[in-house]
């Protein structure tokens, strides 16, 4: 499940330096650290994980992204996507409508740095469809809107668009960031979000999370 507004889906692997330059990718750019809210520690995440309800994943029947209204206005002309882009980037300049016109973004999932905002998706750490199958199907629309725009928990992060698209709605038993140095943070954030929002985990998901957290 891709998140955010998809502006320019990559149709091929970026193969040459000319292509990289043309798409706003900086192979040697300094890595600016995304400022997603810090997740709980590995020890706390292990405690939270042990407390989560373990059950078979539910059905996707009835699911629609429209049931999770996003991106909502956060302040002034800025919606959630624009707020995260500004938060996670370095030297971000925005126009009068809050659209990012320049800046630099480091994608924690794959280690790529981008200078064009349309190359970034805003990933829902716990994807909307995954949340639906883990208990959000019984929430009110208001609750789902809060979840889809949650800036307080480590739920939203700017990452390379087609990396986010490759993640889709998969859980950690099915997908983890290719940048192994970020997997501990990823697992801590995933558990933090699921615990706060009282979402369940399936057995394979729990095992994958335990494996990552035990190595943190």
């Amino acid at each position: 499940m891709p998140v955010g507004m998809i502006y320019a889906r990559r149709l091929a692997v970026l193969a040459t330096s000319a292509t990289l330059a043309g798409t706003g990718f900086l192979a040697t750019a300094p890595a600016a650290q995304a400022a997603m809210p810090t997740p709980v520690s590995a020890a706390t995440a292990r405690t939270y994980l042990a407390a989560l309800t373990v059950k078979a994943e539910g059905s996707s029947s009835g699911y629609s992204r429209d049931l999770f209204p996003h991106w909502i206005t956060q302040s002034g002309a800025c919606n959630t996507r624009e707020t995260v882009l500004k938060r996670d980037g370095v030297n971000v300049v925005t126009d009068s409508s809050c659209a990012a016109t320049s800046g630099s973004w480091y994608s924690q999932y794959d280690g790529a740095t981008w200078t064009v905002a349309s190359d970034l998706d805003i990933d829902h750490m716990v994807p909307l469809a995954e949340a639906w199958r883990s208990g959000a199907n019984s929430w009110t629309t208001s609750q789902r809107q809060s979840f889809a725009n949650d800036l307080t928990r480590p739920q939203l992060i700017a990452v390379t668009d087609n990396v986010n698209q490759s993640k889709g709605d998969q859980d950690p038993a099915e997908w983890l960031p290719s940048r192994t140095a970020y997997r501990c943070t990823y697992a801590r954030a995933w558990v933090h979000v699921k615990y706060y929002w009282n979402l369940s985990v399936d057995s394979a998901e729990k095992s994958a999370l335990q494996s990552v957290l035990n190595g943190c």
Side-chain angles (χ1 to χ4, degrees):
M1 174 190 63
V3 300
M5 296 176 64
I6 300 174
Y7 291 85
R9 181 185 293 269
R10 294 291 178 270
L11 299 178
V13 175
L14 303 178
T16 68
S17 60
T19 302
L20 295 176
T23 56
F25 177 84
L26 299 179
T28 59
Q33 298 301 302
M36 179 181 75
T38 302
V40 294
S41 68
T44 299
R46 287 191 288 268
T47 299
Y48 282 5
L49 181 59
L52 292 177
T53 298
V54 180
K55 60 189 294 188
E57 198 166 80
S59 169
S60 292
S61 177
Y63 168 73
S64 168
R65 287 176 62 77
D66 293 340
L67 296 171
F68 292 78
H70 65 288
W71 303 112
I72 63 171
T73 299
Q74 292 291 341
S75 62
C78 301
N79 67 21
T80 306
R81 172 185 165 83
E82 293 155 347
T83 300
V84 175
L85 284 172
K86 188 170 183 180
R87 182 198 72 187
D88 288 3
V90 171
N91 298 324
V92 177
V93 176
T94 57
D95 62 19
S96 59
S97 65
C98 201
T101 57
S102 65
S104 176
W105 293 268
Y106 178 75
S107 172
Q108 294 282 7
Y109 290 0
D110 59 332
T113 298
W114 301 94
T115 59
V116 177
S118 60
D119 288 317
L120 285 299
D121 275 356
I122 307 306
D123 181 42
H124 288 97
M125 177 64 62
V126 175
L128 304 183
E130 163 69 21
W132 177 268
R133 298 189 297 264
S134 304
N137 60 319
S138 66
W139 293 353
T140 65
T141 299
S142 177
Q143 286 175 305
R144 289 192 286 261
Q145 175 175 293
S146 295
F147 176 81
N149 298 276
D150 188 358
L151 294 169
T152 304
R153 265 62 56 181
Q155 165 66 343
L156 299 171
I157 186 170
V159 296
T160 302
D161 57 358
N162 48 336
V163 170
N164 176 57
Q165 293 153 27
S166 73
K167 171 184 172 178
D169 62 356
Q170 300 176 94
D171 70 33
E174 304 157 323
W175 189 94
L176 287 168
S178 61
R179 183 170 166 259
T180 56
Y182 197 66
R183 289 182 179 179
C184 180
T185 302
Y186 187 86
R188 289 159 49 208
W190 183 283
V191 173
H192 186 158
V193 172
K194 281 225 161 175
Y195 182 84
Y196 178 84
W197 290 97
N198 195 30
L199 296 169
S200 64
V201 291
D202 62 50
S203 58
E205 175 188 356
K206 182 175 182 178
S207 293
L209 289 163
Q210 285 175 325
S211 178
V212 175
L213 291 171
N214 286 341
C216 291

